[in-house]
Amino acid sequence: MERKPLLLHCCCGPCSTSSIERLRELGYEPVLFFGNSNIYPPQEAQKRFLNLETVAKHFDLRIIHHEYNHKAWLKEVAGHETDPERGERCSICFAYNLKEAADEAVKQGIPYFTTTLTVSPHKSAPTIFSIGDTWDEFVAIDFKKKAGYQRSIELSRLLDLYRQDYCGCEFSRREKSPVEP
């Protein structure tokens, strides 16, 4: 069976694991995309990217590392620094990352894209889908369904992946809300 190419926005290695398995079950062949200019500090972004490289090697997938531009992301969320986790700042962040993924999919000639963000029980799939609906090429998949989150934990252990304890930005880090991974 020939799989359809799809660009997969990856927030981190752990969330990517079960998402890749599900996409392959659905007939897609993902190309991994790591932008995530929201992640702070830069060393944290690099650590997450290195773990995504481990995942890419395990699944024998291509990975695209987009330029890190935290200043541009901060400009995008300006005025929302004190929003609570899962508030408006998060929706703006989702839109920022999905736009980067959509643009990269077009640049690479990949007809579809989606995101691993929905594997987390702390992220609202309907919110992400509503933002993703901006693009016809967006494929709405709730990766936490069919025990996707639990499977991501199992695969993270198997691959000895780093699992962070905050979503990514300095604002979520301050709150230290229980955001996985």
Side-chain angles (χ1 to χ4, degrees):
M1 165 177 94
E2 188 167 330
R3 294 189 176 109
K4 299 173 279 194
L6 175 141
L7 187 115
L8 178 61
H9 164 260
C10 301
C11 56
C12 63
C15 287
S16 303
T17 57
S18 63
S19 301
I20 291 166
E21 286 185 339
R22 177 81 58 77
L23 286 167
R24 284 182 164 170
E25 287 170 10
L26 294 171
Y28 293 101
E29 185 63 8
V31 172
L32 309 183
F33 175 71
F34 188 87
N36 305 308
S37 291
N38 59 298
I39 299 173
Y40 186 84
Q43 298 83 354
E44 176 72 15
Q46 182 62 17
K47 191 174 194 178
R48 292 183 193 194
F49 176 73
L50 292 173
N51 278 262
L52 184 61
E53 282 186 318
T54 299
V55 172
K57 287 176 189 161
H58 176 78
F59 287 101
D60 192 28
L61 292 172
R62 181 166 69 107
I63 186 170
I64 299 166
H65 191 182
H66 195 264
E67 178 185 351
Y68 179 80
N69 188 346
H70 192 65
K71 286 181 182 179
W73 180 84
L74 284 171
K75 184 177 177 184
E76 194 75 18
V77 299
H80 295 276
E81 296 85 352
T82 60
D83 289 0
E85 263 316 276
R86 302 183 199 157
E88 185 64 21
R89 180 187 68 244
C90 294
S91 293
I92 294 167
C93 183
F94 298 156
Y96 183 92
N97 281 310
L98 288 178
K99 181 177 183 335
E100 281 195 338
D103 291 348
E104 190 65 34
V106 168
K107 179 180 170 185
Q108 297 288 329
I110 299 172
Y112 308 102
F113 78 98
T114 196
T115 180
T116 62
L117 290 169
T118 62
V119 81
S120 170
H122 303 286
K123 301 284 187 281
S124 166
T127 299
I128 293 165
F129 296 161
S130 148
I131 295 165
D133 282 346
T134 303
W135 300 274
D136 291 338
E137 303 79 13
F138 180 75
V139 179
I141 303 170
D142 189 343
F143 288 114
K144 73 176 99 1
K145 302 244 173 158
K146 297 185 178 185
Y149 177 68
Q150 185 57 39
R151 179 68 177 148
S152 75
I153 293 171
E154 293 166 9
L155 289 167
S156 294
R157 287 185 184 133
L158 175 75
L159 298 174
D160 194 28
L161 299 177
Y162 160 69
R163 291 177 46 84
Q164 59 275 10
D165 64 356
Y166 68 103
C167 182
C169 74
E170 57 264 47
F171 312 115
S172 67
R173 186 178 188 194
R174 252 184 251 145
E175 285 189 25
K176 281 288 194 182
S177 63
V179 178
E180 292 286 339

